[in-house]
Amino acid sequence: MSDRTLPIWVKIVLVVSALMQIVFGLRLLMDPASITAMWPWPLTPVTARLLGASTLVSVPLALLSVWFNRYSAARLPMIMII
């Protein structure tokens, strides 16, 4: 089976998800006290920054999947989003 290109709706979901992750991750890195407004339970500032950093790690994977436009490249980010 050949590697299919991504439908436009999948690309949109991946880009929107990446943008939300950028906002969430940067906000936690710059202002870890804002976690109380975004998270259901309290976290320490160090844990909030770690959560923000780990969120930012998945952004390049999602954006590169859109750039490569192949289903095989987008499998992992799609599983992470689900």
Side-chain angles (χ1 to χ4, degrees):
M1 178 182 329
S2 65
D3 195 14
R4 300 175 304 228
T5 58
L6 296 174
I8 189 72
W9 67 270
V10 172
K11 291 188 225 177
I12 291 170
V13 167
L14 288 171
V15 169
V16 168
S17 171
L19 293 175
M20 289 181 351
Q21 290 172 340
I22 288 171
V23 170
F24 181 76
L26 289 177
R27 183 172 173 190
L28 287 182
L29 285 177
M30 289 188 256
D31 182 21
S34 67
I35 191 69
T36 57
M38 298 184 294
W39 203 252
W41 55 84
L43 297 175
T44 65
V46 172
T47 307
R49 283 194 170 112
L50 181 63
L51 179 63
S54 65
T55 301
L56 290 174
V57 167
S58 62
V59 171
L61 186 60
L63 293 178
L64 285 173
S65 298
V66 173
W67 177 264
F68 291 137
N69 194 25
R70 294 284 173 225
Y71 178 69
S72 60
R75 282 185 210 159
L76 184 60
M78 289 186 332
I79 291 171
M80 291 166 53
I81 289 171
I82 291 171

